[in-house]
Amino acid sequence: MLAVNFLLLAAVLFCIGVYGVIARRNAVMVLMSIELILNAVNLNLIAFAVMNGNQDGQVFALYVIAIAAAEVGVGLAMVLMIYRNRKSIALDELSEMKG
Amino acid sequence: MTGLIVAADGVNVAQNVGFGIIAFGMIFAALCVVSTKNVVHAALWLVVVLGGVAAQYILAAAEFVAVSQVLVYIGAVMVLFLFGIMLTRARIGSEEGLNNTGWQLGIPVALVLLGLMSYVIVDTVRDTIIPDRGPAPTEALADQILSPYLVPFLAISFVLLAAAIGAIVLARKD
């Protein structure tokens, strides 16, 4: 298997995730796009692990999975709190901190 | 360029064809995630992407990570997402206003980023062939986690604990 396949697939997924983060207005959709980005990075880590022939990349991928789970939990709790306070999760309406 | 998809020297053709099919499905599903008008459909397309990622892990002989991916992402994270969608939206169905007003700006940004990254990747690892190593034993992974990477492992457990407590505190109703 060519290494370039894996890395290009991860790059495409990463860019789709970046597009989603920029384009989406709904906070839950932005969190989903962040999941796409994290999965692209994990694909890279697994590809590097199998290229180098050791397990370090797999260990890092597992850590990224754990951190992603924590991030989604806290992120969705914050989204719920914003929804409860404002009845909306549109990110462009959250402009109180704009200077 | 055809070598990217089908056969080059010393490349397992069946593995590459499987990779190509799964990759195509994943990219299509990822595009649906960022372009669909229905939030629930976006979550379900995300399941397809995450399942494809797990399949790619198996192709790259990383079964333990693949199983963790299925358990954590498809099992837990997707349920969280669906709960988040249901709790923040009254009606199920397509919805306008999911995109920002300046959403077109995302397309050139993503394309430029993709161009840069593909140039660098193709330039760096052009003909590197991943050797067929067979599956890595899970004991080796456990040895790695529990001896050289023990401190980050403990740190992760604290992070998860803090995240769980923080999520409960944030989402509590009083």
Side-chain angles (χ1 to χ4, degrees), chain B:
Chain B
M1 236 8 218
T2 48
L4 292 182
I5 306 299
V6 200
D9 288 336
V11 167
N12 185 338
V13 179
Q15 202 183 20
N16 254 0
V17 170
F19 176 92
I21 293 171
I22 301 169
F24 181 77
M26 281 165 66
I27 292 172
F28 176 75
L31 286 174
C32 286
V33 170
V34 296
S35 62
T36 179
K37 292 228 180 302
N38 187 323
V39 191
V40 180
H41 287 182
L44 297 179
W45 280 115
L46 189 59
V47 173
V48 177
V49 180
L50 298 176
V53 171
Q56 302 287 24
Y57 291 166
I58 290 180
L59 273 186
E63 318 99 336
F64 185 75
V65 186
V67 172
S68 311
Q69 168 92 5
V70 172
L71 276 178
V72 175
Y73 272 112
I74 304 180
V77 169
M78 286 322 297
V79 172
L80 262 184
F81 267 124
L82 288 174
F83 265 106
I85 292 168
M86 307 289 171
L87 287 175
T88 54
R89 252 164 34 97
R91 90 204 138 78
I92 307 291
S94 78
E95 182 178 15
E96 294 304 314
L98 275 180
N99 281 354
N100 278 319
T101 42
W103 64 272
Q104 297 93 340
L105 198 62
I107 296 173
V109 171
L111 285 181
V112 167
L113 193 60
L114 179 63
L116 268 176
M117 287 205 292
S118 0
Y119 173 73
V120 172
I121 288 168
V122 172
D123 200 45
T124 314
V125 291
R126 189 188 311 266
D127 289 325
T128 311
I129 291 177
I130 299 177
D132 274 337
R133 295 183 203 279
T138 307
E139 300 106 85
L141 192 56
D143 284 344
Q144 288 287 316
I145 290 180
L146 292 178
S147 46
Y149 292 108
L150 181 62
V151 176
F153 181 65
L154 294 176
I156 289 266
S157 58
F158 277 110
V159 167
L160 281 175
L161 179 67
I165 295 174
I168 291 171
V169 169
L170 282 176
R172 213 171 36 163
K173 259 237 164 64
D174 50 276

Side-chain angles (χ1 to χ4, degrees), chain A residues 54-77:
Chain A
N54 58 23
Q55 272 77 47
D56 293 3
Q58 298 191 18
V59 174
F60 279 111
L62 285 173
Y63 287 167
V64 171
I65 289 177
I67 292 291
E71 170 253 331
V72 168
V74 175
L76 281 175

Side-chain angles (χ1 to χ4, degrees), chain A residues 2 8-9 14 27 34 37 46-47 49 56-57 61 66-68 81 88:
Chain A
L2 287 162
L8 280 182
L9 173 65
F14 188 93
I34 293 175
I37 294 178
I46 295 292
D56 293 3
I67 292 291
M81 199 175 63
S88 150

